RNA sequence: GCGGAUAUGGCGUAAUCGGUAGCCGCGCCAGACUUAGGAUCUGGUUCCGAGAGGAGUGGGGGUUCGAGUCCCCCUAUCCGCACCA
């Protein structure tokens, strides 16, 4: 009987669907396990072979866990909001919902062909109202909470209001945009608009004027992780810094918990490191430097921390405070106007204007270029009482620390470059050896390392750097001019996008004075939670409006009637009961930040997910996806989950216990080489003497087999090659190859459907795994797929004897059982450590062995079908049924390895004489002390070393034979 | 610049505990069956050497009876961050 994979696969895929084999229930006696894939954005291009790699790996693991008796949740859905559908809509007028729907069905079709065990009854789509209802709901909860640093969690904003009414900001330690200081009396005297404005400073989802990454081409702002090198990740358009009123999420409040949480989870070190870098925790000190206005000395300064007469800096090197030779403020610093002397005013203003107008790309491209200007003002070093000049430069960033630094050119490379450029003094205060000082003017670079000893540093001179740091901080804390502090690089996440195809904000602008949105007088107000979801309105156009408003500005029906709690026509806005709704939408990461929780209880209309559901599944046990989400989705989702944990929704803090990053699959492009002197002559790779004589041309990988070009197909491929001539080596044209991104323009895209049609899904699944370790990036290369396909044919054939003759009744031989149990052990171990490529190899070895043994025993072949089921579910299902089972192989039990069959016949021992290893000896596994001595004496090698009776023999079974002569 | 990872035949890779490096597959070579082979099967295939033998896991050093594996230094490649004080 032939292995008719297409027929088999179609048959069982239908059966699985009909029988609902993969449907999962919450609860039951079985232990639970949650395996999750990062859900895809359904793009118009469909799946290529890179997409299913992670899905296959996770599918193997979930099928395996299920066979081991776990109740496995393995869902799939679509991250359906996104820019491409919207841009397509702008170009064609096609509604993004239609494009998205179409792409989803294409994706589903492709996914189904590969035979995944997804429970599709739990599918979620982020663009569906019943899903995004809960995205909006979470946003509202963030709006209604603030972060209390004392409690170290989010608390209701109502409790903050109560507190303000009683004691103002006294003793308040909360995450905020700006530190405020007011009394209860002040609070109570304010009107609602003012109070709301103040509360906005604390909300976890807040509206503020912030410098954003504005992408004019896309007409929207972007999050930091959506910008690379000053260009947008999607599209590669220039991005500029711009001050805009935007919704943001106060992710920074969770910075410490996001760092700490990494300790509890099972992710790779490299990924944790990426997140640590992104969060960028650094310990140091905040120090106030008084201004030396009007020739003031330190003793003249009464209030060292008065922001009118002092400014605060952040440093990670408090020990170098004796080496400060100038100060630098960022161009945005509010003190600049005040302190700049009249002589410097023109120059400073010109510089500040120039710096502010520079685009993000220019700034990043010119990092090495030093620029800055002296303000004419001086500060007083509170430890040395020296007067030090204050400069302005854009190498100091407004968004980090306090936007001001103390410059220590001797021990900071950036300060060093600045000092050299403007000829400012450099003073050494740290030395690798105690009391040894050199002349910094001869230095080629600064000495940044935090090692060595303090020199020229007053009371810390002679101390080690670490000690000096502590001593200086203690000192400034005693003086009352500063304190130990921690700074994070992590910024709040900008949450507004000026787009159509995203979740609308459930916010309207209740107006006090006039009918404007986003103005100081209007109060952003949530619509009642019971009115969610606030559905995305229809618009006449997907472009921004003529006045520059986001696309939702085109919506006719986009106002909130507070009387009826419904969406009404914008023309009804009367600013008494009907108000304008927010026009921006949420970013891509909004919908993907909590989808894993929704899968637990996807049809719940009363709650995001029920307490029972989350109590049962708890968290994702295994998450498989690309590492490119390290500083985006994987941070946002952890933040989202921590917030939900704070408000009592999710039960654990870290949502993804174990994370596997599948490596990217790159394309493997093929080239032909056209002679530069003869346009129709193509030279086989091995015959090219000088690469300069030829032009490499990409050639479609589908007309190349094992780097051998199909000459006829090549001539037909494109008209200009129809008269191509070739210089062949041994009758073949050998193409060159290179690993590149998988892309249409390089003719190296491999579509999984073609391979499924040609070899079957099981072959594709096995081959993708066989290609190499899941976590490793690798080029796609179809050259080996035949071998895997041959293996499946052999595996299929193995069952012939068992199924046709009465041979199936024959009991297994000991040899066969040994092969089987070794395989059980190997495959189980392989799966546990995600080494699926070795699993496939092991299946091949076993199949060869069983074929050699002419195995036809049901007791061996039945468990083999179960073992291969996670990898090649279709063939396994078919064979399982042919063996007479009526149920699915998915409901079988994972075979257990019987250790008695694992015992090796022989074991190799290193034989040592007087402690020195002399040779290896192979002995029966059950050898005794006597056997070992006898074997050593009889071994030919012994003659060289062993003279007479050994004095002592140490025999450690399975390890060593040590002989003392 | 900082941080992380990787390096093994012609190619993808394996070696889970420090114990005969190169399993499995591709490719290649030879053979069988064939009118034929881009089908199937059998055998061979790290390199040098006719052979005996020798060399060999990016390079150099170390620990060890024994190192692909552990330690130190260097090189190359890939990835992440990048004026973050």
């Amino acid at each position: 009987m032939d292995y008719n994979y297409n027929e088999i696969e179609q048959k069982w895929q239908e059966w699985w669907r009909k029988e609902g084999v993969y449907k999962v229930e919450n609860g039951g006696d079985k232990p639970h396990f949650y395996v999750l894939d990062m859900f895809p954005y359904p793009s118009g291009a469909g799946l290529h072979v890179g997409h299913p790699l992670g899905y296959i790996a996770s599918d193997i693991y979930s099928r395996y866990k299920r066979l081991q008796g776990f109740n496995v949740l393995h869902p799939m859905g679509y991250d359906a909001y996104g820019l491409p559908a919207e841009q397509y809509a702008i170009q064609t007028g096609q509604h993004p919902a239609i494009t998205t729907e179409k792409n989803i069905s294409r994706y589903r079709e492709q996914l189904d062909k590969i035979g995944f065990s997804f429970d599709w009854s739990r599918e979620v789509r982020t663009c569906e109202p019943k899903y995004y209802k809960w995205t909006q709901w979470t946003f509202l909860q963030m709006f209604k909470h603030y972060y209390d640093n004392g409690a170290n969690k989010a608390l209701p904003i109502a409790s903050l209001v109560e507190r303000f009414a009683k004691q103002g900001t006294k003793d308040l330690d909360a995450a905020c945009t700006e530190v405020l200081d007011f009394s209860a009396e002040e609070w109570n005297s304010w009107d609602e608009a003012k109070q709301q404005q103040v509360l906005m400073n604390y909300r976890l989802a807040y509206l503020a004027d912030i410098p954003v990454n504005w992408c004019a081409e896309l007409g929207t702002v972007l999050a930091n992780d959506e910008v690379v090198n000053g260009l947008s990740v999607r599209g590669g358009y220039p991005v500029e810094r711009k001050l805009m009123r935007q919704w943001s999420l106060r992710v920074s409040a969770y910075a410490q918990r996001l760092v700490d949480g990494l300790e509890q989870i099972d992710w790779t070190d490299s990924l944790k490191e990426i997140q640590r870098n992104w969060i960028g925790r650094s310990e140091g000190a905040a120090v106030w430097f008084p201004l030396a206005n009007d020739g003031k000395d330190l003793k003249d300064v009464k209030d060292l921390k008065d922001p009118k007469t002092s400014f605060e800096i952040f440093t990670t090197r408090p020990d170098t405070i004796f080496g400060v030779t100038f100060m630098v403020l960022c161009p945005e610093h509010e003190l600049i106007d005040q302190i700049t002397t009249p002589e410097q005013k023109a120059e400073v203003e010109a510089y500040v204007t120039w710096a502010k107008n520079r685009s993000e790309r220019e700034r990043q491209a010119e990092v090495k270029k030093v620029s800055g200007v002296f303000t004419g003002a001086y500060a007083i070093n509170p430890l040395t009482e020296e007067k030090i000049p204050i400069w302005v430069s854009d190498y100091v960033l407004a968004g980090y620390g306090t936007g001001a630094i103390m410059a220590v050119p001797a021990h900071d490379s950036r300060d060093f470059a600045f000092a050299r450029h403007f000829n400012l003094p450099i003073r050494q205060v740290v030395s690798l050896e105690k009391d040894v000082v050199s002349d910094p003017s001869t230095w080629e670079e600064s000495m940044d390392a935090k090692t060595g000893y303090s020199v020229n540093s007053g009371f810390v001179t002679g101390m080690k750097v670490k000690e000096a740091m502590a001593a200086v901080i203690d000192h400034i804390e005693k003086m009352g001019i500063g304190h130990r502090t921690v700074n994070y690089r992590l910024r709040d996440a900008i949450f507004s996008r000026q787009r159509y195809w995203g979740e609308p904000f459930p916010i309207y602008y209740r107006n006090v004075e006039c009918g404007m949105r986003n103005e100081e007088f209007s109060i952003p107000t949530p619509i009642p939670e019971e009115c969610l979801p606030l559905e995305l309105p229809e618009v006449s156009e997907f472009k921004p409006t003529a006045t520059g408003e986001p696309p939702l500005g085109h919506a006719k029906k986009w106002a909130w009637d507070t009387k009826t709690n419904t969406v009404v026509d914008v023309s009804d806005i009367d600013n008494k009961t009907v108000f304008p709704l927010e026009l921006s939408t949420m970013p891509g990461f909004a919908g993907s930040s909590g989808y894993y929780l929704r899968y637990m209880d996807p049809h719940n209309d009363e709650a995001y997910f029920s307490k029972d559901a989350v109590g049962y599944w708890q968290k994702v046990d295994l998450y498989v996806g690309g590492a490119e989400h390290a500083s985006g989705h994987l941070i946002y989702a952890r933040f989202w989950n921590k917030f939900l944990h704070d408000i009592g929704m999710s039960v654990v803090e870290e949502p993804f216990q174990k994370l596997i990053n599948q490596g990217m699959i790159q394309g493997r492009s093929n080239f032909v080489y056209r002679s530069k002197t003869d346009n129709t002559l193509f030279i086989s790779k091995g015959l090219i003497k000088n690469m300069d004589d030829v032009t490499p041309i990409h050639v479609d990988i589908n007309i190349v087999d094992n780097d051998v070009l199909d000459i006829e197909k090549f001539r037909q491929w494109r008209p200009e090659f129809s008269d191509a001539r070739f210089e062949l080596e041994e009758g073949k044209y050998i193409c060159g190859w290179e690993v590149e991104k998988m892309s249409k323009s390089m003719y190296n895209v491999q579509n999984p459907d073609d391979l499924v049609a040609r070899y079957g899904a099981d072959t594709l699944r096995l081959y993708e795994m066989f290609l190499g370790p899941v976590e490793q990036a690798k080029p796609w290369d179809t050259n080996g797929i035949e071998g895997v396909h041959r293996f499946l044919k052999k595996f299929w054939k193995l069952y012939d004897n068992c199924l046709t003759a009465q041979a199936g009744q024959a009991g297994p031989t000991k040899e066969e059982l040994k092969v089987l149990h070794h395989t059980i052990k190997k495959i189980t171990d392989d799966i546990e450590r995600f080494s699926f490529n070795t699993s496939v190899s092991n299946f091949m070895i076993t199949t060869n062995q069983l074929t050699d043994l002419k195995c036809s025993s049901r007791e061996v072949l039945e468990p083999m079908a179960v073992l291969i089921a996670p990898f090649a579910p279709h063939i396994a299902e078919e064979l399982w049924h042919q063996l007479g089972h009526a149920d699915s192989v998915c409901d079988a039990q994972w075979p257990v390895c019987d250790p008695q069959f694992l015992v090796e016949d022989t074991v190799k021992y290193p034989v040592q004489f007087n402690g020195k290893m002399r040779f290896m000896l192979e002995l029966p596994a059950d050898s005794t002390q006597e056997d070992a001595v006898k074997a050593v004496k009889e071994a030919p090698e012994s003659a060289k070393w062993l003279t007479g009776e050994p004095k002592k023999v140490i025999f450690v079974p399975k390890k060593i034979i040590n002989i003392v002569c």
Side-chain angles (χ1 to χ4, degrees):
Chain A
M1 199 176 38
D2 277 348
Y3 170 41
N4 194 338
Y5 43 91
N6 282 328
E7 197 178 287
I8 291 169
E9 287 171 3
Q10 213 182 341
K11 174 166 100 191
W12 294 114
Q13 281 169 11
E14 262 164 41
W15 191 74
W16 290 332
R17 193 166 24 227
K18 212 176 66 220
E19 300 284 314
V21 168
Y22 302 124
K23 201 159 156 39
V24 186
E25 301 295 336
N26 293 354
D29 299 335
K30 291 178 178 175
H32 57 86
F33 201 89
Y34 185 177
V35 180
L36 181 67
D37 294 287
M38 289 184 187
F39 62 169
Y41 172 77
S43 86
L47 292 174
H48 64 69
V49 289
H51 292 104
L53 181 77
Y55 304 157
I56 295 169
S58 64
D59 196 55
I60 290 171
Y61 202 78
S62 23
R63 285 173 181 273
Y64 160 75
K65 274 286 175 189
R66 177 178 172 150
L67 290 166
Q68 285 219 319
F70 285 80
N71 187 27
V72 178
L73 176 55
H74 187 214
M76 184 45 88
Y78 304 97
D79 188 11
Y81 272 136
L83 210 45
E86 178 159 337
Q87 285 184 313
Y88 189 73
I90 291 170
Q91 287 159 20
T92 64
Q94 174 99 278
H95 196 285
I98 296 169
T99 331
T100 304
E101 177 71 41
K102 216 171 77 194
N103 291 347
I104 285 178
S105 17
R106 166 98 178 105
Y107 265 58
R108 176 65 190 273
E109 206 178 290
Q110 287 186 294
L111 288 170
D112 279 349
K113 278 188 189 160
I114 305 172
F116 293 115
S117 63
F118 298 128
D119 177 359
W120 284 106
S121 73
R122 290 174 185 254
E123 177 190 322
V124 302
R125 298 178 185 188
T126 55
C127 65
E128 278 185 355
K130 63 180 185 153
Y131 175 85
Y132 69 66
K133 172 177 179 177
W134 301 107
T135 311
Q136 292 176 331
W137 179 87
T138 312
F139 168 80
L140 285 187
Q141 302 314 308
M142 289 182 182
F143 181 81
K144 292 171 185 175
H145 284 79
Y146 76 104
Y147 198 85
D148 190 290
N149 291 326
N152 206 14
K153 64 183 282 197
L155 294 177
I157 212 92
S159 67
L160 191 65
V161 172
E162 234 170 83
R163 182 190 183 116
F164 285 159
K166 257 187 244 154
Q167 54 183 92
T169 52
K170 191 165 171 288
D171 300 329
L172 178 70
D173 184 10
C176 55
T177 309
E178 194 185 339
V179 180
L180 301 177
D181 189 14
F182 55 83
S183 65
E185 290 75 44
E186 282 174 280
W187 170 263
N188 292 323
S189 72
W190 290 332
D191 63 7
E192 198 201 350
K194 171 73 180 168
Q195 287 186 342
Q196 287 296 333
Q197 226 175 31
V198 168
L199 288 177
M200 203 51 109
N201 188 53
Y202 297 95
R203 296 183 189 275
L204 280 171
Y206 64 95
L207 194 58
D209 286 316
I210 31 175
V212 296
N213 307 304
W214 172 256
C215 180
E217 200 73 28
L218 297 174
T220 188
V221 303
L222 299 168
N224 284 334
D225 68 282
E226 294 170 317
V227 183
V228 171
N229 293 330
L231 299 173
S232 64
V233 172
R234 283 212 186 261
Y237 304 115
V239 172
E240 55 180 319
R241 284 311 258 188
K242 198 172 164 185
L243 208 63
M244 282 178 78
R245 200 155 177 81
Q246 300 285 310
W247 286 100
S248 290
L249 301 186
R250 212 176 290 286
V251 181
S252 59
Y254 283 81
Q256 188 58 51
R257 280 166 68 187
L258 288 167
V259 175
D260 294 342
L262 293 172
E263 302 295 326
Q264 308 158 19
I265 49 182
D266 190 9
W267 295 14
T268 61
D269 288 341
S270 71
L271 206 93
K272 286 186 185 179
E273 208 50 44
I274 292 171
Q275 291 219 336
R276 279 194 203 102
N277 284 341
W278 190 261
I279 298 165
R281 179 184 201 277
S282 42
E283 285 180 34
V287 188
W288 286 87
F289 276 66
L291 293 163
N293 289 351
D294 316 318
K296 222 166 26 179
D297 286 323
L298 192 62
K299 59 181 183 300
D300 304 323
V301 182
K302 290 197 191 70
D303 182 0
L304 287 163
K305 286 163 119 177
D306 182 348
K308 288 188 197 74
T309 58
S310 304
F311 62 99
E312 197 180 22
I313 59 99
F314 172 75
T315 179
T316 53
R317 292 297 300 275
D319 61 304
T320 61
I321 194 164
F322 293 91
V324 178
T325 55
F326 56 100
M327 311 293 290
V328 188
L329 305 179
C330 65
E332 294 86 354
H333 205 282
E334 51 186 13
L335 219 53
I336 293 174
D337 279 348
Q338 181 197 325
I339 63 169
T340 305
T341 57
E343 306 82 65
Q344 298 294 322
K345 203 165 180 70
E347 210 184 324
V348 169
E349 275 176 5
Y351 180 76
V352 168
T353 311
W354 172 80
K356 280 185 181 167
N357 285 337
R358 272 211 313 168
S359 77
E360 192 69 353
R361 190 160 53 143
E362 279 173 332
R363 207 182 59 77
Q364 289 197 6
E366 294 169 10
V367 161
K368 294 242 158 60
K369 218 163 148 189
V370 178
S371 71
V373 59
F374 178 45
T375 60
Y378 290 83
I380 306 169
N381 184 330
L383 263 69
T384 63
E385 304 195 9
E386 272 173 294
K387 288 181 187 161
I388 38 186
I390 304 175
W391 287 65
V392 176
S393 172
D394 67 351
Y395 85 89
V396 174
L397 304 177
Y400 185 77
T402 57
I405 61 153
M406 62 176 211
V408 185
H411 305 292
D412 182 284
S413 51
R414 297 150 301 179
D415 299 345
F416 185 85
F418 195 80
R420 273 287 153 83
H421 189 261
F422 289 106
N423 254 322
L424 296 165
I426 300 173
R427 187 190 307 155
Q428 183 181 11
V429 289
V430 176
S431 170
L432 284 178
E433 284 172 70
K434 227 171 176 167
D435 302 327
V436 178
V437 187
S438 64
D439 177 9
S441 66
T442 64
W443 291 8
E444 285 184 7
E445 57 181 7
S446 57
M447 215 187 90
D448 293 15
K450 291 181 191 173
T451 52
Y453 300 86
S454 286
V455 290
N456 292 332
S457 298
F459 67 95
V460 296
T461 302
M463 286 186 193
K464 281 189 177 163
V465 162
K466 295 253 159 69
E467 296 163 4
M469 280 186 194
V472 169
I473 297 180
D474 288 347
H475 189 78
I476 59 171
E477 282 185 344
K478 236 176 262 161
M479 285 176 75
I481 54 162
H483 58 93
R484 250 184 202 84
T485 187
V486 178
N487 251 301
Y488 300 92
R489 208 185 70 103
L490 184 72
R491 310 284 161 82
D492 287 347
I494 299 161
F495 207 58
S496 298
R497 296 290 183 275
Q498 288 65 37
R499 284 186 198 159
Y500 173 71
W501 193 230
E503 299 87 348
F505 284 85
I507 292 284
Y508 62 92
Y509 290 86
R510 193 152 51 87
N511 199 307
V512 185
E513 296 286 324
C514 62
M516 303 288 284
R517 243 180 232 107
N518 288 12
E519 287 298 320
E520 272 186 40
F521 325 100
S522 64
I523 301 171
T525 311
I527 68 168
E529 282 175 26
E530 57 275 16
C531 300
L532 295 177
L534 177 64
E535 292 197 25
L536 188 63
E538 288 307 319
V539 290
S540 50
E541 261 192 280
F542 303 105
K543 280 193 289 218
T545 65
T547 52
E549 284 182 319
L552 287 192
H554 291 296
K556 290 241 162 7
K557 216 179 158 191
W558 200 236
W560 189 254
D561 185 342
T562 53
K563 229 194 242 160
T564 58
N565 275 332
T566 50
V567 179
V568 296
D569 210 278
V570 270
S571 58
D572 295 339
I573 293 175
D574 60 9
N575 298 317
K576 290 188 186 75
T577 60
V578 181
F579 302 101
L581 281 156
E582 168 69 55
L583 295 183
S584 29
T585 55
M586 297 184 194
F589 66 82
S592 60
S593 291
Y595 75 112
Y596 51 93
L597 290 163
R598 184 65 179 169
Y599 282 136
M600 295 174 178
D601 193 9
H603 307 297
N604 194 332
D605 285 329
E606 305 304 311
Y608 203 162
F609 43 86
S610 71
K611 282 231 177 312
D612 283 351
V614 75
Y616 177 71
W617 294 109
Q618 303 262 324
K619 58 168 189 268
V620 176
D621 296 292
L622 173 69
Y623 196 20
V624 180
E628 67 272 19
H629 296 107
S631 49
H633 162 65
L634 287 171
I635 292 252
Y636 298 130
R638 291 179 60 219
F639 156 74
W640 198 270
N641 194 77
K642 280 177 195 295
F643 171 73
L644 290 173
H645 179 255
D646 283 357
I647 64 167
M649 291 291 293
S650 68
V651 293
V652 289
E653 269 224 24
E654 286 297 337
F656 312 124
Q657 187 56 42
K658 185 175 173 70
L659 180 75
I660 296 275
N661 290 119
Q662 91 268 27
M664 269 237 284
I665 293 204
Q666 298 130 306
R668 186 183 189 276
S669 318
N670 276 115
F671 294 91
V672 290
Y673 301 94
R674 187 171 64 194
S675 164
K676 278 186 180 163
T677 51
D678 181 347
N679 251 345
T680 55
L681 184 65
F682 293 83
I683 305 168
S684 184
K685 185 161 180 279
L687 302 175
I688 299 164
K689 289 177 195 84
N690 191 341
M691 283 312 272
D692 294 337
D693 301 339
V694 291
T695 316
I697 298 169
H698 276 98
V699 58
D700 193 331
I701 53 167
N702 292 308
I703 59 173
V704 179
D705 188 25
N706 272 321
D707 293 337
V708 177
L709 182 70
D710 186 318
I711 289 171
E712 272 318 302
K713 282 186 189 160
F714 178 73
R715 285 193 176 120
Q716 290 159 18
W717 185 42
R718 291 215 247 142
E720 70 253 46
F721 300 142
S722 57
D723 54 351
R725 292 175 300 117
F726 301 90
E727 258 181 43
L728 305 176
E729 35 188 327
E730 291 161 20
K732 290 172 187 166
Y733 187 94
I734 309 293
C735 297
W737 60 272
E738 216 166 288
V739 173
E740 297 175 303
K741 221 187 126 180
M742 209 174 262
S743 138
K744 268 187 193 167
S745 63
M746 295 167 184
Y747 303 104
N748 61 4
V749 175
Q750 187 79 57
N751 172 307
D753 307 25
D754 297 345
L755 293 168
V756 168
R758 194 155 150 210
Y759 298 104
D762 285 337
T763 300
L764 176 72
R765 290 171 63 106
L766 283 170
Y767 186 58
E768 291 228 8
M769 294 299 103
F770 184 69
L771 219 45
V774 178
E775 293 176 82
Q776 194 175 296
K778 54 211 163 231
W780 178 259
D781 180 356
T782 20
N783 287 345
I785 199 165
E786 299 276 356
V788 172
H789 188 61
R790 257 197 293 272
F791 151 69
L792 275 180
K793 279 197 232 169
K794 272 192 224 166
F795 187 80
W796 175 261
K797 231 171 135 186
L798 198 54
Y799 287 74
D800 267 2
N801 286 337
C802 176
L803 292 166
T804 50
Q806 285 87 8
Q809 309 303 320
T813 64
K814 181 151 188 226
E815 210 45 46
E816 289 167 2
L817 286 172
K818 249 171 106 170
V819 171
L820 171 68
H821 286 273
H822 267 104
T823 308
I824 296 171
K825 175 147 184 18
K826 276 187 195 154
I827 299 298
T828 310
D829 290 353
D830 287 342
I831 296 177
E832 289 291 354
R833 60 194 175 97
F834 294 92
S835 184
F836 301 130
N837 55 330
T838 53
S839 307
V840 181
S841 290
N842 284 326
F843 277 123
M844 291 178 176
I845 296 167
T846 302
T847 303
N848 288 343
Q849 285 171 344
L850 291 180
T851 306
D852 287 350
L853 291 170
K854 298 195 167 47
C855 174
S856 65
S857 160
R858 172 178 286 269
E859 277 140 87
V860 172
L861 295 178
E862 233 177 55
M864 280 304 297
V866 179
L867 283 177
I868 208 166
F871 298 85
H874 309 88
I875 195 172
E877 191 77 89
E878 172 69 21
L879 292 170
W880 185 250
H881 284 259
Q882 288 198 13
L883 286 165
H885 296 272
D887 60 342
S888 169
V889 71
C890 301
D891 295 320
Q893 268 202 345
W894 190 253
V896 179
C897 166
D898 184 341
Q900 69 159 309
F901 296 108
L902 294 186
V903 178
E904 297 288 345
D905 293 340
T906 59
V907 180
K908 281 165 198 138
Y909 297 89
V911 181
Q912 304 188 357
F913 289 98
N914 294 333
K916 294 270 176 189
M917 192 274 193
R918 305 300 181 186
F919 58 88
M920 299 289 294
L921 191 61
E922 203 167 324
L923 292 183
D926 52 356
S927 300
T928 60
Q929 170 88 18
E930 286 72 38
D931 298 333
V933 176
K934 195 163 157 246
V936 170
K937 282 189 198 157
E938 285 166 5
E941 294 94 329
S942 294
K944 291 189 220 160
W945 312 105
L946 192 61
T947 45
E949 273 298 301
K951 274 189 202 143
K952 199 170 144 198
V953 177
I954 304 159
F955 173 65
V956 184
K958 296 207 166 166
K959 264 197 181 155
I960 201 167
I961 305 174
N962 199 350
I963 294 165
V964 182
C965 298

